[in-house]
Amino acid sequence: MSYFADIAPLTYEGPDSGSDLCYRHYNPDEMVMGKRMEDHLRFAVAWWHSFAWEGGDPFGGPTFLRPWQAGSDLDHAMAKADAAFDLFDILGQPYFCWHDADIRPEGATFAESLSNFEAIVDYCLAKMDGRKVQLLWGTANMFSHRRFMSGASTNPDPDVFAWSAATVKACMDATMKMGGQNYVLWGGREGYETLLNTDLGREMDQMGRFLSMVVDYKHKIGFKGTILVEPKPQEPSKHQYDYDVATCYGFLQRYGLEGEVKLNLEQGHAILAGHSFEHEIALASALGVLGSIDMNRNDYQSGWDTDQFPNNVPEVALAYYYILKAGGLGTGGTNFDAKLRRQSLDPVDLVAGHAGGMDVCARGLKAAAAMVEDGGLEAALSDRYAGWQTPEAQAMLDGDLGSIFDRVMAGGVDPQPRSGRQEILENYVNRFV
Ligand code: XLS
Ligand code: NI
Ligand code: NI
């Protein structure tokens, strides 16, 4: 019997519905700026938080006690996959994501873990047959097992580098076999706890070389998806090398990978880095590395990565505004890297968490599309930079300090400060959200 036995597939019932289990705003076929809402948002369910996470925290053990969490063999892994696909049938979202360690039991050796992994990948492939749900991205968990405590590619022990390289090869093979659209690397322990025992320069070179090997392997096997790095400033490490968009871009450039690798941006990570989510999205878009998003928020009072489902429409609207302006998510999507609260024990909580998050994103997308279509922000922007359209301004960028000096000395250059109109623009946004 299904873990979600009595829960029927969710349907769009509209904003006035009184039901806890329906979509009020997410209406997959509704057209938004000429494209189906489902194709804009490209929702994915994350295997780790929704099925592997057991509800523990630093002060207490598991609370969820899901049936498939009672053991760690292949049978339990298959029961977990059954529950996952049952949830996918209820939600009807187009994608899911995994780490190797979420879907397969750990074996006693590398070879045994791999054979478990391959068995589950085949089991999932059989379940995908005849269903519409697809793999948005695969990734390797190289931060939970104790062998990775000092990092994966950045580890002082070359044997851990080797183990990590072999793991990523296997995960890329599986991602490709499942038709995955992207492959993600998040460097959970690619950083340090103390500088006193850390050779920063060496570790970054190891990480750069590792990423180059990932890109080479992608081309070797003909994987057509996008390689994505996920920035995060800290947690679990005190300091992580893939700190934020700006840092990651500098890293990619240093190792010549900026044309090969894009970024998977997470709302909560942006906040941890001291940015807004829309800042990270707009910057990645300006640098040409916007890839995909993890749409899970933090609690603003706690100061760590609480991974909650999104519930703030105005924030989400600004995120999608910059995504729409960038031309959309491409091969990326909106992954709920979000976990329930520890007290939310029931199957119904898992369904409602996702449904609510999808509704919040749908409202945000519609507000964003309305702002794009209205064009008010774009018009204000062109007006603000209009001076740069003049031939003198354009010529200046091809000139040098001396010629600019001569022009200023000749007169006719007389800067007049203009209002930035911040409050008017904030009021404008408030009309749509
Ligand atoms: C952790 C990260 C992780 C990545 C995938 O904070 O968000 O879940 O998305 O490894
Ligand atoms: Ni995260
Ligand atoms: Ni994430």
Side-chain angles (χ1 to χ4, degrees), residues 48-49 99 137 184 186 230-232 264-267 269 293-296 305 307 335-338:
W48 50 106
H49 287 328
H99 300 83
W137 46 265
V184 167
W186 167 62
E230 184 173 323
K232 185 174 183 181
N264 180 40
L265 307 177
E266 180 164 316
Q267 201 273 358
H269 299 181
I293 59 170
D294 279 2
M295 185 55 103
N296 39 288
D305 195 8
D307 286 331
N335 174 39
F336 290 114
D337 189 353

Side-chain angles (χ1 to χ4, degrees), residues 216-248:
D216 289 347
Y217 190 65
K218 163 190 156 151
H219 293 304
K220 182 171 174 217
I221 61 177
F223 176 57
K224 295 282 172 269
T226 313
I227 304 290
L228 301 170
V229 163
E230 184 173 323
K232 185 174 183 181
Q234 74 267 328
E235 200 218 11
S237 306
K238 169 192 161 61
H239 174 91
Q240 275 161 227
Y241 299 134
D242 47 17
Y243 201 93
D244 60 1
V245 169
T247 312
C248 284

